[in-house]
Amino acid sequence: KNQVEQSPQSLIILEGKNCTLQCNYTVSPFSNLRWYKQDTGRGPVSLTIMTFSENTKSNGRYTATLDADTKQSSLHITASQLSDSASYICVVRWGNTGFQKLVFGTGTRLLVSP
Amino acid sequence: EAQVTQNPRYLITVTGKKLTVTCSQNMNHEYMSWYRQDPGLGLRQIYYSMNVEVTDKGDVPEGYKVSRKEKRNFPLILESPSPNQTSLYFCASSPQQGGNSPLHFGNGTRLTVT
């Protein structure tokens, strides 16, 4: 069964600290993996996308990694800010050309405390 | 500004009273989709549309209808709402169904059915 699991479910860190969120998936065939940020009361917004051949990609203070062999991805947030408080959702696209589907993780809720 | 607009943002209704949630995008996207988000379950796809007059069921279509008469609009219809349809609903669009393009989400509609 195609699944995406994220950990931890929730996390509290102090402002200025770093943190890492995890995403494990079992989908096949893999197409790409995307991290979204969802602020409270808003729709998810794309942070970064990883394709099969990419190991790491950065977007400002956000750095995503992908290990396609172990089917794991991580999202590292550096020097956290209060505005980083949000849910982070891992979404994996699977399927062949012509028909692809998305599998959503349940998200990690991050609270950055002053 | 490129965006997906959903209306209303909040809706409280009673069991059995038909309702429509509107969704409009101004990016000329071919692909549009509806999701519901429930605690602990993540985003689940209700219906999607590959283009005008082309719609198909997602993972949880029961109790919902959609239509795609114009490229920009993709309304979600609940003919006879029930309490188990109380949820947070998101409309999303992207240039096409597959590939590396992100989904652009609206800001959600919180529906309560009593």
Side-chain angles (χ1 to χ4, degrees):
Chain A
K1 183 181 178 183
N2 292 313
Q3 283 187 315
V4 173
E5 295 184 354
Q6 293 186 243
S7 62
Q9 275 192 319
S10 61
L11 182 62
I12 302 174
I13 61 173
L14 289 175
E15 186 180 10
K17 298 295 187 183
N18 304 335
C19 68
T20 300
L21 314 181
Q22 298 290 346
C23 173
N24 297 338
Y25 60 93
T26 59
V27 304
S28 181
F30 175 86
S31 178
N32 62 53
L33 182 149
R34 190 180 295 274
W35 285 92
Y36 286 85
K37 178 187 179 188
Q38 184 177 18
D39 292 315
T40 302
R42 307 294 294 269
V45 175
S46 175
L47 286 175
T48 184
I49 180 174
M50 307 288 291
T51 57
F52 188 85
S53 59
E54 294 173 309
N55 299 118
T56 184
K57 184 174 284 188
S58 292
N59 177 3
R61 294 180 297 101
Y62 300 101
T63 299
T65 65
L66 175 67
D67 185 333
D69 291 330
T70 61
K71 298 189 175 182
Q72 296 179 325
S73 176
S74 66
L75 181 69
H76 185 75
I77 304 174
T78 303
S80 61
Q81 299 176 359
L82 297 179
S83 60
D84 293 330
S85 295
S87 288
Y88 293 84
I89 302 172
C90 175
V91 184
V92 179
R93 184 182 292 277
W94 67 275
N96 299 307
T97 303
F99 182 78
Q100 295 182 332
K101 291 208 72 172
L102 297 175
V103 183
F104 291 81
T106 55
T108 292
R109 182 168 294 184
L110 173 65
L111 177 62
V112 180
S113 177
Chain B
E1 180 189 354
Q3 60 185 1
V4 177
T5 303
Q6 291 179 232
N7 281 297
R9 288 293 309 275
Y10 301 92
L11 182 57
I12 301 174
T13 190
V14 296
T15 300
K17 186 175 183 181
K18 181 180 178 180
L19 66 91
T20 299
V21 184
T22 64
C23 174
S24 181
Q25 51 94 4
N26 62 1
M27 296 168 280
N28 201 37
H29 286 169
E30 291 188 353
Y31 181 82
M32 297 186 74
S33 183
W34 276 102
Y35 299 88
R36 61 178 289 173
Q37 188 176 39
D38 301 290
L41 293 179
L43 286 153
R44 293 180 293 167
Q45 190 178 50
I46 302 171
Y47 267 94
Y48 65 94
S49 170
M50 306 277 272
N51 212 326
V52 176
E53 301 292 3
V54 181
T55 63
D56 210 345
K57 297 177 180 178
D59 298 317
V60 288
E62 293 77 22
Y64 305 95
K65 286 175 58 177
V66 293
S67 68
R68 187 91 181 272
K69 293 182 169 52
E70 309 164 279
K71 199 170 189 178
R72 63 184 293 123
N73 295 324
F74 190 45
L76 179 69
I77 303 157
L78 284 72
E79 294 271 5
S80 182
S82 62
N84 65 11
Q85 293 179 298
T86 292
S87 186
L88 180 57
Y89 291 86
F90 287 100
C91 179
S93 73
S94 69
Q96 63 274 331
Q97 191 261 346
N100 292 342
S101 299
L103 284 170
H104 298 260
F105 286 87
N107 280 329
T109 295
R110 186 169 291 281
L111 172 65
T112 302
V113 183
T114 61

